[in-house]
Amino acid sequence: MGVRLTVKRRAEAGGAEKPQVVTLTEDTITLGRDDGCDVVLAQSAVSRNHARISRDGTLFFLEDLGSSFGTLLNGTKLKKHEKQLLSNGDTIAIAQFDVVFDRVADVTESNAGNTMFVSRNLVKDVMKGLGSSGEQPYFRVMTGPREGHRIEIEEAQEYTFGRDDSADIVLNDDLVSRRHARVRRDWSGVHVEDLGSRNGIKVNKKRTKKQTLKDRDELEIGGVKLLFLDPSEVRETPVVLPSESQETEGTVSVAQEQEPEPEPEAAPPEPEPEQPADAPAEESPSESQPGDAGDAPAEEPPPEDGESPANTTEDPPAEEGSGKLIDFSNKQTLIGLGLVAVFVLIAIVLMVLVFFT
């Protein structure tokens, strides 16, 4: 069973960097700024030995090694020197680095292309999770002097947790009462119950009086954290690497000075402004002056008989100027003028009659 870590540095300018992927098979994997770490994150905000991933059977745990700026797991800051269980797809944030965790199946190079070999390994791993070997549900102590110890819960048994020596499971912690909690296993599962303790119990950080536990639930008794693990429940399947994997094996180093070199996108050529079809006709006054020798022959018509060129320019055609105020060739115009004249005549006659009668 190995670990695949996908390391990506968040760019300050918002640009995307190509992630680096490494596959490690060690039981302990260190992450930090020191060159001796398995995953080197070369940045000043990263401690020399920042965090550690440790293996316990088929489980992997993350621990902050007392770093200066802390470690985030899926956005939640870890307490120093306190282990947290890792699952496929979890994101470990260290300074500007994001490290995605995945378990990978045991596939050797000689058998990488053998599908039956891969399937057999996956079935074997799942059968371990189903408890085919008779493994009992158990608690793993996550904090305190007994960190890493395993407390098995047998069938049809009841266990008392407390600080007193008469308890079945003794937890030496000031926040633990003499008889703090009871754990019972029956045909319906494993149940935990508070025995009226001073500080109570919590399951997955929520206070409760009595609750049935599920695989990977976190139980807090006073200041002691216990991880409940039930092999009878199906757990996540490890990732199977492709036969021709491009991932590196061994250590990986991500330097601070690594800056992405984005390929400049070829800008589309700007279209040149199209010349309007009537552009030649719109000439500036300086270009259309009669004094231009090159334009005069092309634009000035030849003078008619009896007319000089000067007279032609002074008397423009009637349709281009304002020589005619009224168009007498239009019938409607003539009719209108006639009506106006009649009305004027009638008005004059009426005025004469009024004044002389």
Side-chain angles (χ1 to χ4, degrees), residues 4 21 23 112 241-249:
R4 181 179 68 181
V21 183
T23 303
L241 297 179
S243 56
E244 296 182 358
S245 175
Q246 300 297 325
E247 301 171 1
T248 59
E249 295 183 0

Side-chain angles (χ1 to χ4, degrees), residues 208-219:
T208 183
K209 288 291 185 181
K210 185 177 181 180
Q211 188 168 331
T212 301
L213 298 176
K214 297 182 296 184
D215 182 45
R216 302 193 180 192
D217 278 348
E218 185 181 76
L219 172 63

Side-chain angles (χ1 to χ4, degrees), residues 62-64 79-84 142-143 225:
L62 174 66
E63 177 185 3
D64 182 89
K79 292 183 179 180
K80 296 181 179 181
H81 302 289
E82 183 175 311
K83 292 184 178 181
Q84 288 289 334
M142 302 297 292
T143 59
K225 291 185 179 181

Side-chain angles (χ1 to χ4, degrees), residues 15-262:
E17 291 192 7
K18 184 178 179 181
Q20 296 191 30
V21 183
V22 60
T23 303
L24 301 167
T25 56
E26 291 81 0
D27 291 340
T28 302
I29 302 169
T30 55
L31 301 91
R33 196 177 73 247
D34 191 87
D35 293 338
C37 294
D38 299 298
V39 179
V40 180
L41 307 175
Q43 192 181 41
S44 58
V46 180
S47 299
R48 296 182 65 84
N49 290 281
H50 197 105
R52 176 169 57 208
I53 298 174
S54 56
R55 174 178 174 177
D56 185 358
T58 58
L59 303 176
F60 291 87
F61 297 90
L62 174 66
E63 177 185 3
D64 182 89
L65 300 177
S67 63
S68 301
F69 295 95
T71 305
L72 300 179
L73 177 60
N74 298 326
T76 303
K77 189 172 183 178
L78 298 181
K79 292 183 179 180
K80 296 181 179 181
H81 302 289
E82 183 175 311
K83 292 184 178 181
Q84 288 289 334
L85 181 66
L86 288 171
S87 301
N88 284 355
D90 282 350
T91 301
I92 305 166
I94 298 176
Q96 289 184 335
F97 298 95
D98 287 334
V99 183
V100 179
F101 169 88
D102 285 299
R103 290 190 309 144
V104 295
D106 293 326
V107 182
T108 60
E109 184 177 355
S110 59
N111 295 298
N114 192 333
T115 305
M116 185 170 292
F117 179 84
V118 176
S119 301
R120 190 183 304 121
N121 273 352
L122 291 179
V123 171
K124 190 183 300 182
D125 183 79
V126 173
M127 291 304 292
K128 288 179 183 178
L130 292 173
S132 58
S133 59
E135 189 176 5
Q136 306 288 342
Y138 65 95
F139 287 101
R140 186 190 188 279
V141 182
M142 302 297 292
T143 59
R146 299 185 61 180
E147 193 276 323
H149 284 205
R150 183 177 170 133
I151 303 171
E152 292 192 359
I153 309 299
E154 297 183 0
E155 184 83 35
Q157 294 293 324
E158 186 176 279
Y159 302 86
T160 303
F161 289 70
R163 195 177 72 249
D164 193 79
D165 293 338
S166 62
D168 299 310
I169 309 297
V170 179
L171 302 176
N172 293 319
D173 187 84
D174 294 337
L175 299 178
V176 177
S177 300
R178 297 175 63 84
R179 291 175 60 83
H180 199 111
R182 179 189 298 118
V183 175
R184 186 184 77 258
R185 180 185 175 192
D186 56 23
W187 61 272
S188 61
V190 177
H191 317 277
V192 60
E193 180 184 0
D194 182 52
L195 296 178
S197 63
R198 180 181 57 190
N199 295 308
I201 62 174
K202 293 181 181 179
V203 176
N204 298 327
K205 303 186 184 304
K206 294 182 180 180
R207 191 154 185 155
T208 183
K209 288 291 185 181
K210 185 177 181 180
Q211 188 168 331
T212 301
L213 298 176
K214 297 182 296 184
D215 182 45
R216 302 193 180 192
D217 278 348
E218 185 181 76
L219 172 63
E220 294 184 46
I221 300 178
V224 180
K225 291 185 179 181
L226 306 167
L227 181 66
F228 176 71
L229 297 165
D230 188 359
S232 63
E233 296 188 25
V234 178
R235 298 176 181 172
E236 61 188 8
T237 305
V239 176
V240 179
L241 297 179
S243 56
E244 296 182 358
S245 175
Q246 300 297 325
E247 301 171 1
T248 59
E249 295 183 0
T251 61
V252 62
S253 176
V254 184
Q256 181 182 10
E257 292 76 17
Q258 285 182 346
E259 292 292 341
E261 296 181 359

Side-chain angles (χ1 to χ4, degrees), residues 304-318:
E304 296 181 0
D305 294 339
E307 291 185 358
S308 64
N311 294 335
T312 305
T313 56
E314 290 178 358
D315 298 328

